[in-house]
Amino acid sequence: MYLKLKKGLDLPIEGALSAASPVKSISPVCCAIVPDDFPGFTPKLTVREGDHVEIGAAIMHDKAHPGVCICSPVAGKVKAIVRGERRKILRVEIENNNSYNSLTFDIKRPIVELLGAAGLFAMLRRRPYDVVPDPDVRPRDIFVTAMDTAPLALSPVQMLPEGADKALAAAVNALATATDGKIYVSRRAGELADIPGAEMVDVEGKHPAGCVGVQVANIAPVNKGENIWTLDIVTLYRIGHLLLTGKVDSSVTVAVTGPEVTTPCIVKTAIGADIKALTAGVLANSDHNVRIISGNVLTGTAVNEAEGFLRFPYRQVTVIAEGNDVDEFMGWASVAPSKMSIYPALPLHWLRRLFRPDARLNGGRRAMIMSGEYDRVLPMDIMAEYLLKAIISRNIDEMEALGIYEIAPEDLALCEYVDTSKLPIQQIVRDGLDYLRKELE
Amino acid sequence: MSKLRKFLDRIKPAFQPGGKLSALQSVFDGFETFLYTPRTTSPASYTTHVHDSVDSKRAMTIVIIALLPCFFFGMYNTGYQHWLAAGATEFPFFSLMLYGFLAIIPKVIVTYVVGLGIEFISAQIRHEEIQEGFLVTGIILPMVCPVDVPLWMLAVATAFAVIFAKEVFGGTGYNIVNVALTARAFLFFSYPAYMSGDKVFVATSQAFGYGPAVADGFTCATPLGQIATAGGETAITGIDGSTISTWDAFVGLIPGSFGETSVICILIGAAILLATRIASWRIMLSAVAGALLMGWIANSAATPTYPASFLSPIDQLFLGGFAFAVVFMATDPVTAARTNTGKWVYGFLIGVIAVCIRTYNNGYPEGAMLAVLLMNVFAPLIDYCVVSANKRRRRARLTSKA
């Protein structure tokens, strides 16, 4: 199957990886699990501070589905359970004792039960709502993306170890028992070999072509009442690895990129690794504030250098300037060639090929003024402007009619980037999905 | 840190809630964000961390830049028409420009003072930042009015339009009809004697005592005005009695509203708007197509009952406010159709209706203004149909499966 997406945008940002970028192995001092990274998952702790855990040991499970766990990525001691307001669990920190002892799972169990116990089921997402799936509901299809088109991202195919084919085939074989439909695997043509049992989709196009939701909308869109599971190729590999060895592979390959990084590099580490270890020695020693993003500049989470962690599902760290310490005189009128824009309204910006954007909104929040902006970067049959208005007005019938079941915040990230009214689009979508789920489920 | 920044930081506390001047907080914020890009950065999660450098301030600025050629030409033409009316044979460039400048600047100041004043007050009532929407409206309005319109009328019309076309709906981005056109229509229907006929389109008085004197009782109507009052196939004449050809209408040295006579300058503006992708090419193209089609139909069935039907389709595009309305008013993104398909329909109907009104209703030679206003009202309906088609596709997908 071949899919060509015409709309989209690749942001030209400095600090990309090159073929010569160094590859490092960093053993994290401490790893953390952040329940907020798993929307739809209500955490119930199964460990206490001071407990000793091994790789694959359950740290928490879902209140509604006790079989769905989130597991420890490293072996060591539970160092801290950090809580926020009303005792909400913000994160569980686990100290790495570098022993890499791992639990072995009984692989003869049904696949959903096995994945739930090994912490891999929580890594799947479900459309509608973009949440952790319900293990009791069989999905219509399963969609796997082997692409990451986000700015400065490393292709996930390059993160797979040598000889991953066997694991991928085993995973597809096992997942096929969980659905009556197909398993679609999307890839850049030529990057990934065919996986037996899966329907391979060659995707061409700029970001957000790699977003699984965009692919779903163009291959077999989600209708009301339907359910699909989405995951990426690295998770598929982890499932295969579990099926072949009985152990959870909690290692992760992270691209450390961005304009404020001295030498962009690839780091092999563990899920949830502390940011301090990841960014040690690569941060430009700058005189201005920087923003460390766990993830890419479009959808990631800003983290604190001192107490931040690599957040799920990101395999990327991007460092950009914060910009809150800059005084720019009449910036709205400036035609400086350093300003990144997709509009030809900045006459000199074609002088530059790559840009060093900062985290400023570059303007004030407004009502939607310009029209047709979102359509230019959203390769889905969705009228984003009208859908967003329906979400803001909490009109459930309109949201359904306009296709809210097909979208996730990340699909509309580029809309938020190009928006001249600077609306918080991803937050609007997330709130809308949560609201709808609460009302309807 | 510059002195200005330090000064702003020093006086800022007085404008915060609880400060002595907190009633002016919106005004202060407006000026502060005008002078310095706000330091507001993206939140931590569910956000993009980078944003495009173009914001609505810049979009509005580009519209103003696109209007400047028309504005400068309007200054020259106002002077030129005045000199012609005075019977002059020499036309000194700088004197003409100065006269035009002196004639228009009081109008620009009045619209801005009244309009921005109301904007500042409503922003403060709503505790919002001052928005830049009126910057464009405030310059367009004097440009679409006859140059001799009395200042008090302009002030009343601006206040009416800003309050009742915009602020009651929620401010910039929420209005249903174009604010400048509402003001123009208000003037047209409230004070028709000053807005049409043969007395207002050429500045006959001296501007602040500058310029040659024109004989009392001088009159000259706009080309469309002449056609509407004449019967049958008439030649349109300029002030000095010479015939106005299609080329004259294209260049724009003819009597008419201040900024909308020169098609050349309007085309320059259109080029700026299209090159920067601020305005929609779909609307412009389909409006021109609609006007050509309707102009051709009217011209093929020309009758002396409707003298304007003798105009060729090209003249329909070049004469009156049509070109200006299509480029600068029909493309106002807030009041135009917002879906791409909708824009085609919206623009096309503007073209058709503008020519229809000016041809078949002799009382309203300025059909373009009314056509845009009418389609502003219908734009949400057009969009509704386009959005419904999207919804139907989705529903059909569901039922075909079941």
Side-chain angles (χ1 to χ4, degrees), chain A residues 11 13 36 39 130 140-141 217 220-226 291 293 296-302 311 320 322-335 338-347 357-372 375-376 381-383 385-386 389 398 400-404 406 409 412-414 416-427 430, chain B residues 1-2 4-6 8-9 30-63 128-133 135 170-174 272 274-283 331-341 343 379-380 382-384 386-402:
Chain A
L11 291 181
I13 300 178
D36 272 353
D130 195 37
R140 186 198 75 196
D141 295 303
V222 185
N223 297 306
K224 187 184 178 182
E226 291 178 344
R291 169 176 291 220
I293 303 159
N296 60 67
V297 290
L298 291 177
T299 58
T301 305
R311 305 284 291 264
I320 60 172
E322 180 73 32
N324 62 355
D325 46 2
V326 188
D327 278 318
E328 193 187 2
F329 185 66
M330 297 205 10
W332 56 273
S334 159
V335 289
S338 58
K339 285 182 175 288
M340 182 166 81
S341 176
I342 67 153
Y343 294 90
L346 290 147
D358 60 32
R360 280 179 301 173
L361 296 183
N362 290 330
R365 293 259 151 94
R366 294 288 182 268
M368 287 178 195
I369 293 176
M370 307 295 284
S371 58
D375 297 342
R376 228 176 258 153
D381 186 23
I382 296 265
M383 308 207 96
E385 192 186 314
Y386 290 88
K389 285 178 181 169
E398 279 286 297
E400 284 186 345
L402 288 164
I404 190 160
E406 298 166 42
L412 275 78
L414 267 178
E416 188 173 339
Y417 166 78
V418 300
D419 187 12
T420 50
S421 296
K422 316 294 175 193
L423 294 171
I425 290 175
Q426 291 183 83
Q427 189 65 55
R430 185 71 260 168
Chain B
M1 211 190 275
S2 70
L4 182 61
R5 180 71 253 179
K6 276 185 186 150
L8 286 176
D9 286 342
F31 278 102
E32 194 191 11
T33 56
F34 177 85
L35 290 170
Y36 288 99
T37 303
R39 288 176 169 188
T40 328
T41 55
S42 313
S45 59
Y46 288 116
T47 179
T48 60
H49 299 272
V50 292
H51 284 82
D52 199 274
S53 298
V54 171
D55 62 347
S56 51
K57 269 196 184 62
R58 185 179 296 268
M60 305 282 176
T61 315
I62 286 167
V63 179
E128 277 175 0
E129 193 183 317
I130 289 173
Q131 310 199 344
E132 50 282 331
L135 292 181
T172 306
Y174 298 104
I272 295 173
L274 292 179
T276 52
R277 285 202 287 193
I278 296 297
S280 161
W281 59 272
R282 291 180 178 88
I283 293 176
T331 56
D332 169 12
V334 176
T335 55
R338 299 187 68 89
T339 55
N340 283 345
T341 320
K343 282 173 186 164
I382 298 171
D383 284 338
Y384 177 83
V386 178
V387 174
S388 296
N390 179 280
K391 292 180 188 168
R392 259 198 311 279
R393 271 202 298 283
R394 191 162 285 108
R395 232 180 0 249
R397 210 168 65 203
L398 186 62
T399 45
S400 72
K401 283 210 153 189

Side-chain angles (χ1 to χ4, degrees), chain B residues 175-215:
Chain B
N175 48 315
I176 293 170
V177 289
N178 184 299
V179 182
L181 274 181
T182 308
R184 175 75 167 80
F186 178 85
L187 287 171
F188 184 81
F189 289 109
S190 307
Y191 312 105
Y194 288 89
M195 282 297 120
S196 50
D198 49 11
K199 293 205 173 62
V200 288
F201 284 97
V202 173
T204 45
S205 54
Q206 290 173 317
F208 299 103
Y210 185 77
V214 178

Side-chain angles (χ1 to χ4, degrees), chain A residues 184-215:
Chain A
Y184 294 91
V185 177
S186 62
R187 61 180 174 189
R188 285 272 189 233
E191 265 200 354
L192 181 72
D194 282 2
I195 304 170
E199 169 94 29
M200 306 302 288
V201 185
D202 288 330
V203 183
E204 192 187 324
K206 296 174 176 174
H207 191 67
C211 287
V212 68
V214 172
Q215 296 163 357

